[in-house]
Amino acid sequence: GINAGSIDNTTIGATTASTGAFTTLLASGTATLSTVDINGGAIDGTTIGANTASTGAFTTLSASGAATFTGDVTLGNAATDTITISGTVGINAGSIDNTTIGATTASTGAFTTLLASGTATLSTVDINGGAIDGTTIGANTASTGAFTTLSASGAATFTGDVTLGNAATDTITISGTVGINAGSI
């Protein structure tokens, strides 16, 4: 045995490898270890899982460049945590459930289908419970309308041919004055 002192310029275990116990292990070049356990320190500038990927458990995860996640990804606890993302987010073929988008700062959205279980208020129309309130229909581009009941609280103007009811079976009641200008009855 060697007690006290140093072994310089000598390979230990070159022919037959064995175990070693050290208080400090120092390498000035490249060290290849079959397994590694680093306690109380940091692993800097090292790719983890480059050849064989595995799991990782971290208290804090940060990236200075792009981060790519594949498979299912859970960020925080949906009931209690706040996830803040600075920059842009692309979600391809996924869903965002139970989340308010634009709650703090509103922006634009493009959707193939827009579904609201409550009231949806758009910049120029309010549609809720099957009623369209305070909105002119056909103001810019007129089209047809089919109604079970048609009423007006002010004047109603009709242009073109107007059919009121079925002439053979319906009764039309007019309250007020009827003015017919340049026409015949």
Side-chain angles (χ1 to χ4, degrees):
I2 299 174
N3 294 317
S6 62
I7 303 173
D8 294 328
N9 243 358
T10 302
T11 303
I12 298 176
T15 307
T16 305
S18 185
T19 60
F22 305 93
T23 55
T24 303
L25 180 60
L26 177 65
S28 61
T30 300
T32 302
L33 308 173
S34 60
T35 60
V36 64
D37 181 8
I38 300 174
N39 293 309
I43 302 172
D44 297 321
T46 301
T47 301
I48 310 270
N51 295 324
T52 304
S54 184
T55 59
F58 306 95
T59 55
T60 302
L61 180 62
S62 64
S64 59
T68 302
F69 300 98
T70 56
D72 294 337
V73 177
T74 301
L75 301 175
N77 180 329
T80 59
D81 294 343
T82 299
I83 307 293
T84 302
I85 300 172
S86 300
T88 58
V89 177
I91 299 172
N92 298 317
S95 62
I96 303 173
D97 296 326
N98 199 24
T99 301
T100 301
I101 301 193
T104 306
T105 304
S107 186
T108 59
F111 305 93
T112 54
T113 302
L114 181 60
L115 175 65
S117 59
T119 300
T121 302
L122 307 175
S123 62
T124 56
V125 64
D126 179 9
I127 303 172
N128 54 61
I132 302 173
D133 301 320
T135 301
T136 302
I137 298 180
N140 295 323
T141 305
S143 184
T144 58
F147 305 95
T148 54
T149 303
L150 180 61
S151 63
S153 58
T157 303
F158 300 97
T159 58
D161 293 337
V162 177
T163 303
L164 300 174
N166 182 327
T169 60
D170 293 343
T171 301
I172 298 173
T173 303
I174 299 173
S175 301
T177 304
V178 176
I180 301 174
N181 299 319
S184 61
I185 297 180

